[in-house]
């Protein structure tokens, strides 16, 4: 499957933290031909193994989940209240279209209600709406009608718009953090199918990163890797009004290698190995400015007896928002870097 339609399919899939089933089922079907072993663990992580010439294990990780909402109350008049799952900036939520996933697997569309400026006071116009003042309007006239449509307390929801292809190799889509990482892992597995890697490679498509790095932590105890690399969609803040020290990464400048973030200070040895791989294979790359964010690598490196871990990210503008933007060239170069790093790792770390 080509990178662009693969990214579109996974971006459009529903996968709020704790409800990753649709994403996992799509990935499982795609990677089955490239994996020597494939299983889903008790939490819902999908682990795909490509056996190497030795039992030394390299763990690749990308998370399937996206930030979202959960229905917390249904008013008698049919309006739905909600809480957030994961790290939302709640100022941006009003007026966005949402998709609610029912327990039966259906979808109900709605909008996060907002009042027109005509009836707001000057003070109200200047004040962000608090989360407990927001609601979802699905067009229902009563709580009974909401129930007939299958919506219940605890149902997940997400602001959602269709994936779009923009001119000059850019795309817009939801959940690019971290469906783009899942795409990278899929493409690496595809390329390794034609290789004979020295190390056994286990790709963990993780649940629950956005709610505490949960899936990666438990998966690492199962995999017991020697080396691990988390693949993320990270903040590209190369936009107007952002000073250079806060421009974590730049879209279009290749994969971003993490030096340190709030979950991990990467070993200089690991950083240099990634840099050498990129330079040896003529792959453009950039260094992500510290100390922002965190990835599954932060949970993996303190698992078992300790794991040599790092992170490589695809720059995405506007992550943790209803739509993000990335450049496909960054995705392709990240696939090249991760594939080369997996194959080169024994030489880089043993030499």
């Amino acid at each position: 499957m080509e990178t662009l339609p693969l990214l579109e399919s996974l971006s459009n899939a529903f996968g709020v933290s704790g409800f990753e089933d649709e994403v996992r089922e799509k990935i499982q079907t795609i990677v089955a031909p490239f994996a020597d072993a494939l299983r889903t663990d008790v939490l819902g992580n999908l682990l795909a193994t490509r056996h190497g010439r030795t039992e030394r294990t390299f763990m690749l990780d990308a998370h399937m989940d996206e930030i979202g909402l959960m229905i917390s109350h249904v008013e008698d008049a049919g309006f739905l209240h909600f809480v957030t799952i994961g790290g939302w900036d709640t100022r941006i939520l009003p007026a966005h279209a949402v998709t609610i996933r029912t327990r039966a697997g259906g979808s109900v569309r709605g909008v996060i209600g907002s009042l027109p400026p005509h009836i707001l006071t000057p003070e109200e116009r200047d004040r962000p709406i608090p989360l407990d003042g927001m609601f979802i309007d699905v067009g229902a006239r009563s709580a009974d009608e909401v129930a007939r449509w299958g919506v219940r307390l605890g149902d997940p929801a997400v602001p959602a718009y269709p994936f779009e292809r923009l001119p000059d190799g850019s795309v817009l889509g939801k959940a690019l953090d971290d469906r783009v990482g899942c795409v990278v892992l899929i493409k690496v597995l595809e390329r390794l199918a034609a290789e004979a890697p020295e190390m056994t490679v286990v790709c963990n498509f993780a649940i629950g990163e956005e709610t505490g790095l949960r899936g990666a932590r438990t998966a690492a105890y199962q995999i017991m890797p020697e080396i691990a690399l988390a693949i993320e969609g990270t903040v590209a803040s190369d936009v107007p009004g952002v000073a250079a020290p806060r421009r974590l990464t730049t879209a279009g400048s290749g994969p971003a290698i993490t030096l340190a973030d709030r979950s991990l200070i990467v070993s200089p040895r690991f950083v240099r190995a990634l840099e050498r791989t990129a330079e040896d294979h003529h792959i453009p790359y950039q260094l992500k400015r510290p100390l922002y964010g965190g990835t599954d690598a932060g949970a993996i490196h303190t698992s078992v007896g300790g794991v040599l871990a790092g992170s490589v990210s695809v720059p995405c503008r506007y992550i943790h928002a209803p739509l993000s933007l990335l450049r496909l060239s960054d995705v392709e170069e990240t696939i090249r870097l991760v594939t080369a790093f997996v194959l080169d790792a024994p030489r880089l770390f043993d030499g």
Side-chain angles (χ1 to χ4, degrees):
M1 194 171 185
E2 294 299 319
T3 301
L4 181 57
L6 179 57
L7 184 59
E8 179 172 5
S9 176
L10 294 188
S11 172
N12 285 336
F14 189 99
V16 172
S17 295
F19 301 88
E20 299 93 346
D21 300 42
E22 181 180 331
V23 183
R24 182 176 57 251
E25 289 165 6
K26 283 178 177 285
I27 294 173
Q28 183 169 330
T29 299
I30 295 166
V31 301
F34 313 126
D36 296 314
L38 195 62
R39 69 181 179 88
T40 300
D41 72 10
V42 68
L43 291 188
N45 295 306
L46 176 65
L47 295 96
T49 301
R50 172 77 171 95
H51 291 308
R53 299 192 302 275
T54 69
E55 293 184 359
R56 299 175 65 187
T57 304
F58 194 130
M59 177 181 179
L60 293 176
D61 175 276
H63 67 90
M64 299 182 290
D65 62 313
E66 61 188 299
I67 62 173
L69 315 171
M70 180 179 281
I71 304 304
S72 61
H73 176 69
V74 181
E75 291 190 3
D76 291 341
F79 297 103
L80 313 175
H81 292 262
F82 60 89
V83 294
T84 56
I85 297 177
W88 281 104
D89 177 355
T90 56
R91 296 173 305 167
I92 68 174
L93 287 174
H96 279 293
V98 299
T99 298
I100 303 167
R101 180 58 53 89
T102 69
R103 296 183 192 183
S107 294
V108 176
R109 291 286 278 172
V111 61
I112 298 177
S114 62
L115 299 178
H118 311 68
I119 62 173
L120 296 178
T121 66
E123 293 77 15
E124 287 172 331
R125 292 178 195 172
D126 294 336
R127 188 170 59 240
I129 302 171
L131 186 64
D132 60 8
M134 298 183 199
F135 56 87
I136 296 173
D137 187 347
V138 294
R141 290 166 290 189
S142 67
D144 288 341
E145 193 164 33
V146 169
R148 286 198 299 272
W149 295 350
V151 177
R152 300 288 189 274
L153 293 185
D155 285 349
V158 67
Y161 300 92
F163 185 92
E164 294 184 60
R165 307 178 186 192
L166 302 180
D168 198 30
S170 296
V171 301
L172 281 175
K174 77 169 182 65
L176 298 182
D177 167 21
D178 186 30
R179 304 291 160 71
V180 67
C182 294
V183 168
V184 172
L185 263 60
I186 292 168
K187 297 298 289 185
V188 169
L189 277 171
E190 181 183 44
R191 295 184 182 190
L192 290 178
E195 300 283 350
E198 179 176 331
M199 299 184 74
T200 291
V201 179
V202 182
C203 290
N204 179 49
F205 298 91
I207 62 98
E209 190 269 355
E210 300 290 2
T211 51
L213 317 180
R214 301 177 186 192
R217 180 177 291 108
T218 58
Y221 276 91
Q222 301 170 65
I223 297 167
M224 300 187 68
E226 179 178 332
I227 303 168
L229 185 66
I231 315 301
E232 263 285 7
T234 198
V235 177
S237 45
D238 55 329
V239 297
V242 179
R246 295 176 61 212
R247 293 193 172 192
L248 276 62
T249 69
T250 300
S253 295
I257 297 172
T258 293
L259 302 171
D261 59 31
R262 290 171 180 160
S263 67
L264 170 70
I265 297 175
V266 183
S267 164
R269 179 183 174 209
F270 200 107
V271 172
R272 185 56 194 147
L274 282 165
E275 291 175 329
R276 283 180 57 192
T277 301
E279 291 158 5
D280 289 349
H281 294 270
H282 308 289
I283 299 169
Y285 71 94
Q286 57 187 306
L287 299 176
K288 180 182 174 184
R289 298 184 188 277
L291 267 165
Y292 298 90
T295 72
D296 275 344
I300 295 167
H301 90 288
T302 56
S303 299
V304 198
V307 179
L308 191 60
S311 181
V312 168
S313 301
V314 178
C316 301
R317 292 178 183 155
Y318 326 118
I319 66 170
H320 284 218
L323 283 172
S324 299
L325 181 149
L326 62 72
R327 301 196 187 282
L328 290 171
S329 61
D330 289 333
V331 185
E332 297 294 354
E333 296 297 356
T334 304
I335 295 166
R336 289 183 60 212
L337 176 59
V338 176
T339 304
F341 187 62
V342 168
L343 294 171
D344 290 353
R347 171 180 63 84
L348 293 168
F349 289 102
D350 296 344

